[in-house]
Amino acid sequence: MSTTFTFDNSTSRANPTPAPMRRLTVPAIRERKGAEPLVMLTAYTVRMAQLLDPHCDMLLVGDSLGQVIYGLPSTVPVTVEMMCAHGAAVVRGSYHSLVVVDLPFGSYEASPMQAFETSARIMKETGAAAVKLEGGAVMAETVAFLSARGIPVIGHVGLTPQAVNALGGYGVRGRSSAEADKIVADAKAIDQAGAIAVVVEGVVEPIAIAVTKAIACPTIGIGASAQCDGQVLVTEDMLGMFDRVPRFVKRYHEIGDEIAQAAATYASEVRSRSFPTPDQTYQPKI
Ligand code: KIV
């Protein structure tokens, strides 16, 4: 599949245009409320983006890269520089999906202005079309500030991993009615502030359904409900690259086992000098 670009110079606002397809736009994503479910997966590298892009509506450069790529203990230490580097790689590797980059912990919570500066930097340096931030009603002012200034924002409610230290872990949210009401109110606040979509993570299913009914923009579930307007998973989870399988993950492959098997075969062939063979070596031309 081609990932080349053609240069469109038909107007002063023209961009290099990906061929053969155009990227999904923010309005196209919003229009999927109650319609065909949105498909979102995480991507952090150019090659993974190329492989996933034709099958997805959105690629999320999640701050889960902290654990998945960098082996960090949580998303808390993730930096804006990491998000920019991986966001740019994913944009370079895709031409169809709308690319969304997470705002990392500490880069947006202090004020709407701080969030604007971080988001603008990420969009300029990566070419991504939207950012995602965690938090409910407390972030509504920031979502409104960004949205009014041309920055499409996806919200994230329920289990918010950047708050792991405050929450005390990654347990499912919304088991008490007070917590359930708060999650629905949080989603409504973000929606009314102009979010283009809201990720609903790690909640008991009736809450995900209630949120989906209560808000105007699409919900994207992870550990939530098939009745959300779309779904997202961490790609490495669904490919079977980790040993532990959380309840909300379905493994569509066992690629971790296949990689380990390939490495073991390679190691054995190197040690026995059966790799490389004449097929993989260059001989002088006679
Ligand atoms: O960082 C991430 O990958 C996410 C998804 C799990 C929604 O936020």
Side-chain angles (χ1 to χ4, degrees):
M1 184 161 301
S2 167
T3 53
T4 55
F5 287 75
T6 54
F7 194 71
D8 171 5
N9 56 7
S10 56
T11 77
S12 61
R13 300 204 173 170
N15 283 315
T17 306
M21 296 164 82
R22 288 184 180 273
R23 271 187 207 282
L24 265 80
T25 61
V26 164
I29 296 296
R30 282 202 65 120
E31 280 164 19
R32 296 277 285 277
K33 177 75 188 176
E36 186 190 7
L38 288 159
V39 179
M40 186 189 230
L41 281 170
T42 60
Y44 319 116
T45 62
V46 68
R47 187 66 191 122
M48 191 64 91
Q50 288 169 343
L51 292 168
L52 303 178
D53 181 51
H55 310 286
C56 290
D57 300 306
M58 289 185 277
L59 291 176
L60 173 64
V61 187
D63 60 356
S64 50
L65 62 74
Q67 290 109 314
V68 176
I69 300 285
Y70 290 95
L72 296 169
S74 72
T75 56
V76 171
V78 171
T79 64
V80 175
E81 287 69 25
M82 289 175 188
M83 300 311 299
C84 283
H86 291 275
V90 169
V91 170
R92 283 195 293 271
S94 59
Y95 59 85
H96 165 64
S97 305
L98 185 125
V99 178
V100 183
V101 178
D102 266 343
L103 299 183
F105 177 73
S107 74
Y108 65 95
E109 302 90 331
S111 67
M113 186 58 82
Q114 185 202 26
F116 178 82
E117 283 169 1
T118 304
S119 305
R121 175 177 170 196
I122 286 177
M123 289 174 77
K124 281 171 189 280
E125 291 189 21
T126 66
V131 297
K132 178 168 82 59
L133 56 76
E134 295 183 9
V138 73
M139 294 312 301
E141 185 192 350
T142 294
V143 173
F145 189 89
L146 298 181
S147 305
R149 286 160 180 77
I151 298 180
V153 185
I154 294 186
H156 186 153
V157 301
L159 171 60
T160 47
Q162 291 177 7
V164 62
N165 291 306
L167 299 175
Y170 297 102
V172 73
R173 312 300 299 166
R175 290 210 185 273
S176 73
S177 65
E179 205 174 78
D181 291 348
K182 182 175 180 316
I183 293 167
V184 177
D186 278 341
K188 280 186 178 171
I190 294 291
D191 176 47
Q192 282 158 13
I196 62 165
V198 175
V199 169
V200 183
E201 176 169 359
V203 297
V204 291
E205 185 169 27
I207 296 178
I209 295 170
V211 168
T212 300
K213 287 186 179 149
I215 69 175
C217 69
T219 54
I220 303 168
I222 173 166
S225 170
Q227 291 190 47
C228 289
D229 300 299
Q231 302 295 325
V232 60
L233 281 177
V234 170
T235 298
E236 285 75 0
D237 278 339
M238 73 96 172
L239 289 178
M241 292 187 70
F242 293 104
D243 293 340
R244 203 176 77 78
V245 193
R247 180 183 174 84
F248 61 88
V249 172
K250 179 172 175 187
R251 287 163 84 112
Y252 288 83
H253 208 69
E254 295 299 336
I255 213 152
D257 290 346
E258 290 194 21
I259 292 171
Q261 186 52 57
T265 306
Y266 168 73
S268 144
E269 291 189 4
V270 168
R271 289 185 183 117
S272 64
R273 297 191 191 280
S274 51
F275 173 83
T277 69
D279 283 350
Q280 289 100 28
T281 49
Y282 298 96
Q283 304 305 323
K285 288 199 172 100
I286 336 166

